Amino acid sequence: MTKIEDALESFKNKDYEHALDLFSSIVEKGEESAEIHNNIGLCYYNLGNMEKAEDNFLKAIKLNPKLPQIYVNLADLYYKTKDFDSGIQLLSQGIYEMPDEMVLAHYLARFYMEDARLDLAIDELEKILEKQPENYDAYYDLGKVHFELGNYALAAENFENVLEFKNNNEWIYYYLGQAYEANDEIDKALSNFLKAIAYNDSFHPAYKKAAILFLAREDYDDAIEYFESYLDLNIPEDEKNNIKTLIERIKKKQENER
């Protein structure tokens, strides 16, 4: 086994200290490459030394600015450390070098989202969808951005697009339900919360949402049923006490209306 193979095997086995020693010894012998500095950066990243990780990722980019994985690795570092400005600058450079690498454009969109530059995020996500109309992750992020901006109909439209490619996902049904609820389309909202429950009967947020919508429609029996199911799930004790109180109030209201 060569030293580089030994280093890669150690990295694969999460023996980052040993892998780092081996990669570093290769560099000390003058065998530098973008790939080796990228691997050294990953070792430092996994060992928690972000400064040295960043330094090696930047060296790797300088040696070969057209390896997308290096930009992704350094972007992950900037994302973890919440250095959004550096991440945006890095990814913009990567897109300049490799304009067809949509993964970099998507990373850039997510940095814009985290940095509250939502209009710029929309621009990047729409560019991605022009080239990759079946990119359901981009539809998902676009739905989240539009929801945050209060564009609930557009949010619902994009979450519906996700379901064309990735159905049976409780979170997508849940977000879609939220978008329809915010757009005052209660029947569609309730339908999606119930789909989330049908797919994952332990998904407690959807039970509460469904119960509240049943309550708003004065479907008291259904509201009680879903609140009681909600109580059986893993929720905080304070929340359980609040829901029990609410159920008692609903039952008293039913009695008073009889």
Side-chain angles (χ1 to χ4, degrees), residues 23-66:
F23 284 128
S24 298
S25 68
I26 294 170
V27 171
E28 287 170 5
K29 291 181 178 179
E31 299 178 39
E32 279 194 295
S33 71
E35 290 82 0
I36 288 177
H37 276 292
N38 180 55
N39 288 329
I40 291 174
L42 286 169
C43 288
Y44 277 123
Y45 180 89
N46 283 286
L47 291 168
N49 191 330
M50 298 303 169
E51 184 176 347
K52 288 189 176 180
E54 178 187 19
D55 183 54
N56 278 277
F57 289 139
L58 291 172
K59 285 179 182 177
I61 290 171
K62 188 174 182 180
L63 288 166
N64 187 347
K66 295 187 182 294

Side-chain angles (χ1 to χ4, degrees), residues 119-133:
D119 289 341
L120 292 174
I122 289 173
D123 289 343
E124 290 299 324
L125 292 166
E126 288 180 343
K127 288 176 189 175
I128 293 167
L129 289 167
E130 284 176 9
K131 294 184 178 181
Q132 297 179 339

Side-chain angles (χ1 to χ4, degrees), residues 26-255:
I26 294 170
V27 171
E28 287 170 5
K29 291 181 178 179
E31 299 178 39
E32 279 194 295
S33 71
E35 290 82 0
I36 288 177
H37 276 292
N38 180 55
N39 288 329
I40 291 174
L42 286 169
C43 288
Y44 277 123
Y45 180 89
N46 283 286
L47 291 168
N49 191 330
M50 298 303 169
E51 184 176 347
K52 288 189 176 180
E54 178 187 19
D55 183 54
N56 278 277
F57 289 139
L58 291 172
K59 285 179 182 177
I61 290 171
K62 188 174 182 180
L63 288 166
N64 187 347
K66 295 187 182 294
L67 284 178
Q69 190 57 47
I70 306 171
Y71 292 90
V72 169
N73 292 337
L74 184 50
D76 282 337
L77 185 155
Y78 288 141
Y79 195 90
K80 183 175 182 179
T81 58
K82 299 189 182 299
D83 188 353
F84 301 127
D85 285 340
S86 294
I88 289 167
Q89 182 178 347
L90 167 78
L91 292 163
S92 298
Q93 176 191 345
I95 292 168
Y96 174 80
E97 296 285 352
M98 297 166 285
D100 293 329
E101 285 291 342
M102 292 297 100
V103 66
L104 300 183
H106 206 154
Y107 265 76
L108 180 59
R110 286 179 171 170
F111 270 81
Y112 282 140
M113 290 168 67
E114 289 294 328
D115 204 35
R117 306 186 200 182
L118 300 184
D119 289 341
L120 292 174
I122 289 173
D123 289 343
E124 290 299 324
L125 292 166
E126 288 180 343
K127 288 176 189 175
I128 293 167
L129 289 167
E130 284 176 9
K131 294 184 178 181
Q132 297 179 339
E134 296 185 359
N135 189 326
Y136 59 81
D137 283 330
Y139 283 119
Y140 173 78
D141 284 336
L142 197 53
K144 289 175 67 178
V145 173
H146 280 303
F147 187 90
E148 192 165 341
L149 287 170
N151 303 328
Y152 302 122
L154 285 173
E157 179 183 328
N158 280 283
F159 290 135
E160 290 282 10
N161 286 335
V162 175
L163 289 174
E164 289 186 22
F165 307 104
K166 189 178 178 66
N167 56 13
N168 291 335
N169 181 293
E170 65 268 36
W171 280 107
I172 298 300
Y173 289 130
Y174 183 75
Y175 290 137
L176 187 52
Q178 284 189 309
Y180 279 128
E181 181 185 8
N183 204 45
D184 204 27
E185 297 179 78
I186 302 305
D187 288 344
K188 288 182 178 180
L190 184 55
S191 173
N192 279 282
F193 292 136
L194 295 177
K195 286 176 183 177
I197 293 167
Y199 181 68
N200 182 352
D201 61 9
S202 297
F203 187 64
H204 63 80
Y207 283 92
K208 184 175 182 180
K209 281 286 190 177
I212 290 170
L213 291 185
F214 279 126
L215 181 59
R217 296 197 327 188
E218 299 185 352
D219 294 339
Y220 298 128
D221 288 338
D222 287 330
I224 291 170
E225 177 186 344
Y226 279 87
F227 276 132
E228 288 179 340
S229 295
Y230 179 60
L231 286 175
D232 292 333
L233 301 174
N234 185 23
I235 60 174
E237 198 61 36
D238 287 349
E239 174 75 348
K240 285 187 178 183
N241 292 333
N242 291 336
I243 295 301
K244 288 176 182 177
T245 300
L246 179 56
I247 290 171
E248 289 304 314
R249 289 176 180 171
I250 297 170
K251 289 179 177 179
K252 285 182 180 178
K253 184 175 179 63
Q254 284 181 303
E255 291 174 3

